[in-house]
């Protein structure tokens, strides 16, 4: 099954309701990024209708990157247009995609933003694609737990008819390996004075990550990218040298 | 669209949340059968996030029979086995059935039971079929508003015109632009002695192209990649230089 990751959730009630909705549909891996009121949370427990007692312990992280470090493929839920070039999935097609990857032993997850402002663009840049829940255009705000509910519902719908996909493609690299590459690339770009103005630097960093996030880069390909970086920076021995 | 009929709802909060969920997905005909705390209800208003102001006035009835008197076809949601011989629909197939009947100008509705005990067998007997929402067998209790949400969600999925997927993504760069980037990258990599052995060079070239081919890279992103290449090769002016 996929992991459910709630970024900066504010109200314990919503975390509890999300946990309950998860368990209704057979999802049990809940992860929290910096919950406002800490963890455990009494209101979450009260609103989970016992789900938190049945599920494995909730995992709590300080940062988004840490929370998804062991996953291979992550989708972000968002209702706003982000001007980022990402695949856009419906809840149904998103879960289909996750199922195919799970059948290939990839670890997958869906990232949900907090109540007030949703996900940051920098968080979305870490994800492979976006899930857009269809709603009436002029009345589109869904509660956090309701979004989790809809994705859980699409998940359980697949569980009866799911077929295994034989696919010999190598899995994408774990996100922590990708993150390590990004960090190195950024360091090298800084040293090379790539980031011209302070103002645009954050946007440019995000754009660079986006380029490499959309493709399912494998570990072997990451190794090639590291090699390219070393070569271009002149750290590599010349052909024929020992 | 189909009507949503809540039978003997208890908590105003749930009525409000159901109304909000309805409007999220474009449903606006809400009917109440003998709401415990009367109507209108302050807690319902507070939890509807404005939906009750946008929707036509909620209709209130004393009995189930009255509430569905003008409808041609009604389905009942229930999680319990009723030992009644009725067609059982999934939420998805239920909405399909309703759509077909709406296309024939039939008026349709879905009946939801109250929080405590759901629908009475006598109420279900008035309905044409049953909707069973798939859940984990040992953790199946869904909140009233959540059940409404799932049916509304299945409804909007059938509506083609609603799609809020603003697909403003820029197109991928023309292949000739990509090819120009590849050629430049290869030239730089050769100069940096990246290709170690003649034998593996062709494979490595292909692997490098593969990395950048899978993502739909836009022209803007190609420009970034050119910039990265220039920076890493040290051809770029330092920040602040002219």
């Amino acid at each position: 099954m996929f992991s459910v990751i709630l970024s900066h959730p504010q109200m314990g009630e919503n975390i509890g309701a999300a946990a309950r909705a998860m368990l209704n549909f057979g999802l049990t891996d809940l992860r929290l990024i910096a919950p406002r009121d800490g963890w455990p949370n009494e209101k979450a427990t009260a609103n989970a209708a016992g789900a938190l007692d049945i599920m494995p312990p909730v995992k709590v992280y300080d940062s988004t990157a840490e929370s998804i470090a062991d996953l291979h493929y992550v989708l972000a839920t968002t209702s706003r247009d982000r001007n980022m070039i990402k695949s856009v999935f419906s809840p149904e097609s998103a879960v289909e995609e996750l199922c195919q990857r799970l059948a290939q032993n990839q670890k997958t997850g869906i990232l949900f933003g907090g109540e007030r402002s949703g996900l940051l663009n920098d968080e979305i840049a870490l994800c492979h694609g976006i899930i857009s829940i269809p709603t009436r255009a002029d009345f589109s705000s869904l509660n956090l737990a309701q979004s989790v509910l809809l994705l859980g519902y699409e998940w359980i719908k697949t569980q009866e008819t799911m077929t295994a996909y034989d696919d010999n493609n190598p899995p994408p690299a774990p996100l922590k390996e990708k993150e390590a590459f990004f960090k190195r690339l950024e360091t090298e770009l800084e040293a090379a004075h790539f980031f011209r103005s302070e103002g645009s630097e954050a946007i440019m960093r995000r754009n660079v990550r986006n380029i490499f996030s959309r493709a399912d880069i494998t570990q072997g390909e990451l190794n090639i990218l590291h090699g390219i970086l070393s070569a271009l920076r002149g750290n590599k021995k010349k052909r024929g040298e020992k």
Side-chain angles (χ1 to χ4, degrees), chain A residues 69 72-73 125-128 172-184 209 211-219 222 226:
Chain A
H72 298 88
Y73 188 84
L126 298 175
C127 296
H128 295 77
L175 289 174
K176 66 182 167 195
E177 298 294 338
K178 256 185 166 171
E179 187 62 26
F181 170 72
F182 289 144
K183 286 265 192 292
R184 185 182 161 208
R209 278 164 189 246
I211 294 174
F212 295 99
S213 284
R214 280 210 312 280
D216 283 335
I217 292 179
T218 65
Q219 187 61 55
L222 268 188
H226 276 293

Side-chain angles (χ1 to χ4, degrees), chain A residues 92-143:
Chain A
E92 191 170 12
S93 63
V95 170
E96 272 168 29
E97 179 73 30
L98 297 184
C99 283
Q100 290 186 23
R101 291 173 180 274
L102 288 161
Q104 297 161 26
N105 293 315
Q106 295 183 28
K107 295 185 73 177
T108 66
I110 299 180
L111 185 61
F112 296 83
E115 292 90 335
R116 187 152 29 165
S117 48
L119 293 170
L120 299 174
N121 283 342
D122 282 341
E123 295 182 284
I124 293 177
L126 298 175
C127 296
H128 295 77
I130 284 171
I131 302 173
S132 175
I133 297 175
T135 54
R136 215 175 109 136
D138 59 350
F139 197 81
S140 65
S141 161
L142 286 179
N143 169 290

